[in-house]
Amino acid sequence: MSKYYTTLNADTLKKAYELMCTTQHIQNVYKKNADQIPYQYSSSRGHEAIQIAVAMHLKPHDFLFPYYRDESMLLTMGIQPYELMLQLLARKEDPFSGGKMPYLHPILQREDMPQIPIPGNYTGSHSIPATGLAQGLMYLLSQNLRMDFDRPVVLCSLGDAVITEGEISEAFHIAILKKLPIIYLVQDNDWGGTVKSDEIRAVDAYELAGGFKGMKRVRINGADFVDAYDKVQIAIDYARLERMPVLLHAKCPLLDDHISGVSHTLYRSDENFALHQRDEPIERLRRYLLIEGETEESIDKIGQNIEQTINDSFEYASISQQPDTGNIMLYRFAPTKVIEEEGNRNADAPEQITMRQAAIQALDELLTENPEAIYSGMEIGSPLGGIHREAAGLAQKHGNERVISMPAAESYLIGSIMGLAAAGCKPIVSMPSTKSIFLAMNQLNRLSEAFYLSNGKTIVSSVIRVPIESVGIETLLLQFKGIKIAYPSSAADMKGILKSAFVDPNPVILLEHTSLYDLKEAESPAPASDYVLPLGKSRIAQYSAEESRNEGNSLVVITYGPGVHRTIAASANYPGSVEVLDLRTLSPLDWDAIMSAVKRHGKAMIVTMESQRGSFAEMLAGRITQQCFRFLDAPVFTCGAASLPAIPVNQQLAETAIPTADKIAEVIGQLLSY
């Protein structure tokens, strides 16, 4: 091979040409059989050169986060066209998700290929878990928890339109701040969907990255395999050896529709399309092969049998089985080992501890016993220990490499969990406030979907602590069906649930009402270090009198968090008549305990600190009415906060809006009078 052109050898060039032919034939087959493909897909035509060059330099111990156009990259890694077609047609034997995810949304855990640990590639949002994985690798290395002779890197592939997303900036910032071995590959074809890039962005990715000092930048002709191969090798070697982030900006032609079913003729001019066609990667590579001595006949022979193989693959995929609809509920949650309450809830130590102390005690024990555990949040590593002093003293004891103060990057705090877990860490995160969770909804959604969409291959064991300052957000969070939601009301429950959440293989959110952190009524004797409380198990916080039940003068109040203590205070007006069922966990829900309590009393009421209208409490009331109707002697009542856009800061106004003990007592009286 002539050194004038590259250090590449002829075999590599011919292999790249074969892969480009494969991509071309795949797209031809898809178009020919469009009537058999009910789902949309995107093509990598025009992007083949950069994708093949990148995949050729990745090693099996590296990690890849592809995007929805990376067909050629996956083929280069060794994924077969038949496997891609099974995903395209959403068939049972789709090796990535069993028919649950769209085309080019793989998850890969094969020893001979780079690892794709997290399902889905939603435009730019996967940049955050990718960066989190790189952070996890560096943490494990710093603690001697990982043998790192091979120096793995993470490659995150992106389209150019997503660089305007805030999540991209969060990922870039953390990658530089933490000095992470990650390569961000931006494939720029000058189009963002059906609009030209100059309509939707002020600068390109290369120019944007210039504002992030410390990010190495490389421009590449993404249509030229030879140029791409050499520059990609230099960039990946830099990230591998220097352990610093790299931005690869590859200009590529777009030689097909942005997405199937939407013809490019509807939004692109003939002149624009013709301009892109002049830079076709396969023709460029063909010219290189001719210069290096290959003949037209020998080049044609390279892809001679590919077309028939692709046709056969599609035919087999099209007659493969559809998924079994009876299995649709599988993989909602990974099974947990903690199914019973274990350990000493009331240890020998006689002193009482607050909920705040119980959480810190549990975290201290977890960090001591589990070197792979890391705890991050805004100001968590400061002497104060977080905005709510929820981690006071932990950084001083365990170090700032494990108790990590993070910048104001809420999406990163949540989204990095997936990457950290994939690296082998056990992440615990503190969100700074209730409202901060709204800034991370996209990443929460990905966290919720991961285990289900991967058919159980992606485990994201993690704990997210969310402080609740006034009204809650549990109704919103309960829409994320793959996340467990707990809401402790006492110190012992806080410690037991936190310990259980840590070993649970699923993501768990702990809703912690800040009014309970130092509340006297929420104190408990300090549980022993081995105490765990299974998620999904309620407790009776206050029993009613048998005499009241026999006389039909009793009811059950179903509640959680601060509602437990306010209800107990309210029940003083009705001695013996009020049973208080503390749910402790909202998902999974202890439905058996709820049904049993309703049967005992015939009257049920639900107390929530949320705005009552449209809340989890009202939905639960509806379910009780539907499934326990024959046991009820009265309607199911609810008591919650007023339906307001926000709770005022003024104390008197706030007390007017939220369910106080007096308001709860009034509703109890109304229900008992039935």
Side-chain angles (χ1 to χ4, degrees), residues 220-238:
I220 297 176
N221 183 346
D224 187 324
F225 175 73
V226 173
D227 180 68
Y229 188 93
D230 288 342
K231 288 182 177 177
V232 165
Q233 181 173 12
I234 293 169
I236 290 181
D237 286 349
Y238 173 84

Side-chain angles (χ1 to χ4, degrees), residues 36 82 89 91 313-320:
Q36 297 184 50
Y82 177 66
L89 298 172
R91 296 304 169 89
S313 295
F314 188 85
E315 182 180 345
Y316 294 140
S318 64
I319 61 174
S320 63

Side-chain angles (χ1 to χ4, degrees), residues 177-245:
L177 181 68
K178 301 296 182 182
K179 298 180 173 59
L180 303 179
I182 183 167
I183 301 104
Y184 301 101
L185 167 65
V186 178
Q187 300 176 53
D188 187 350
N189 57 37
D190 284 328
W191 284 87
T194 58
V195 295
K196 291 203 70 176
S197 58
D198 57 11
E199 298 178 54
I200 56 173
R201 71 181 191 206
V203 295
D204 66 22
Y206 186 89
E207 293 162 331
L208 176 72
F212 292 87
K213 294 183 179 179
M215 177 89 74
K216 181 179 177 64
R217 299 179 296 159
V218 181
R219 282 198 189 272
I220 297 176
N221 183 346
D224 187 324
F225 175 73
V226 173
D227 180 68
Y229 188 93
D230 288 342
K231 288 182 177 177
V232 165
Q233 181 173 12
I234 293 169
I236 290 181
D237 286 349
Y238 173 84
R240 201 181 296 284
L241 296 173
E242 300 297 328
R243 318 307 273 168
M244 285 293 288

Side-chain angles (χ1 to χ4, degrees), residues 475-476 479 610-620 638 643:
T475 300
L476 177 62
Q479 304 314 304
E610 277 196 297
S611 175
Q612 180 177 319
R613 188 175 300 173
S615 66
F616 161 70
E618 287 195 337
M619 289 187 282
L620 182 56
T638 55
S643 184

Side-chain angles (χ1 to χ4, degrees), residues 10-20 52 56 76 302:
D11 287 342
T12 303
L13 286 177
K14 286 190 280 189
K15 179 62 178 175
Y17 188 82
E18 179 184 332
L19 288 162
M20 289 186 190
I52 293 168
M56 283 183 169
T76 306
I302 292 175

